[in-house]
């Protein structure tokens, strides 16, 4: 607010968790953000989603089916993420149930509309991070399901509030702010 006005362009060369992107859009500023971390760009994209009613409806349906998709008696239908090497930190025996649950959840997001898929993948990521961070033993699957449900509800509420806030600013200023988030070094981004 001190250095820019609505409609101005903000540049964040290290997008990190996406806070500058969120605040820029909420204040009616356009933003270009870069980061060499694919995770940072993904999180920033998820946090700056502008949901429409169809996205909200789709995500609400996903929230209803996702926890039930976790079933240790069912096979993993798509283990692409394991084949790509994303199990590096959860290969040990105590984490096999969690690893299977994550695979099953990721299988539920594949055919969702783009905004819903991004938000759902972020909810799975956040719940997975909670379940694994600093633990020698994973939480129970029931606790993981509950955390996923709480996480998804919270993320949806935040995304709805964010979307409404940006729409309100856009309606008042006549400028619909946009975000361009790029996974790359900031070197040469001006061109």
């Amino acid at each position: 607010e001190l250095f820019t006005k609505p409609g101005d362009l903000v540049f964040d060369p290290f997008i990190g968790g996406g806070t500058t992107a969120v605040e820029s859009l909420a204040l009616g500023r356009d933003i270009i953000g870069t980061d060499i971390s694919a995770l940072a760009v993904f999180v920033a994209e998820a946090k700056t989603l502008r949901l429409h009613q169809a996205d909200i409806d789709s995500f609400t349906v996903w929230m209803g089916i996702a926890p039930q998709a976790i079933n240790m008696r069912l096979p993993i239908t798509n283990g692409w993420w394991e084949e790509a090497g994303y199990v590096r930190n959860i290969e040990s025996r105590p984490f096999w149930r969690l690893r299977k649950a994550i695979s099953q959840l990721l299988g539920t997001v594949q055919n969702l509309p783009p905004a819903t898929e991004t938000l759902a993948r972020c909810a799975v990521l956040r719940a997975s991070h909670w379940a694994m961070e600093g633990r020698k033993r994973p939480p129970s699957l029931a606790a993981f399901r509950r955390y996923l449900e709480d996480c998804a509800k919270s993320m949806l509420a935040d995304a709805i509030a964010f979307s409404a806030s940006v729409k309100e600013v856009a309606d008042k200023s006549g400028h619909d702010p946009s975000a361009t988030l790029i996974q790359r070094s900031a070197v040469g981004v001006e061109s």
Side-chain angles (χ1 to χ4, degrees):
E1 287 177 302
L2 186 60
F3 296 109
T4 63
K5 61 186 182 307
D8 282 355
L9 178 63
V10 173
F11 175 61
D12 185 354
F14 310 105
I15 203 71
T19 302
T20 300
V22 168
E23 295 303 324
S24 294
L25 293 173
L27 292 171
R29 278 73 165 165
D30 295 322
I31 174 120
I32 295 175
T34 62
D35 205 297
I36 60 171
S37 167
L39 178 60
V41 173
F42 171 73
V43 169
E45 287 172 347
K47 288 171 85 172
T48 58
L49 284 173
R50 308 228 338 245
L51 300 181
H52 302 286
Q53 190 59 49
D55 302 318
I56 295 166
D57 295 343
S58 177
F59 190 75
T60 302
V61 168
W62 177 81
M63 287 191 314
I65 64 165
Q68 285 69 44
I70 300 171
N71 185 333
M72 294 301 106
R73 292 185 180 99
L74 295 176
I76 297 170
T77 57
N78 187 344
W80 67 266
W81 74 289
E82 290 188 32
E83 293 167 11
Y86 292 112
V87 295
R88 179 178 51 200
N89 297 319
I90 57 172
E91 292 173 320
S92 65
R93 177 132 175 83
F95 285 91
W96 78 267
R97 284 180 181 84
L98 184 58
R99 189 171 56 244
K100 186 171 186 176
I102 294 167
S103 289
Q104 290 171 331
L105 287 170
L106 289 174
T108 66
V109 304
Q110 289 183 310
N111 296 317
L112 296 174
T116 306
E117 179 184 352
T118 299
L119 198 57
R121 289 171 79 103
C122 197
V124 172
L125 173 68
R126 186 168 162 195
S128 300
H129 183 262
W130 167 82
M132 293 181 288
E133 183 179 35
R135 297 178 190 260
K136 291 183 181 182
R137 300 192 56 75
S140 70
L141 289 179
F144 180 66
R145 276 189 199 97
R146 280 191 305 276
Y147 191 85
L148 174 69
E149 290 171 336
D150 292 345
C151 199
K153 286 177 189 173
S154 172
M155 290 174 79
L156 179 60
D158 290 346
I160 290 170
F162 173 74
S163 297
S165 174
V166 174
K167 183 179 180 336
E168 183 180 328
V169 167
D171 290 347
K172 283 182 183 176
S173 70
H175 174 72
D176 190 16
S178 66
T180 303
L181 306 171
I182 310 165
Q183 182 193 351
R184 62 161 289 168
S185 164
V187 175
V189 77
E190 71 279 1
S191 60

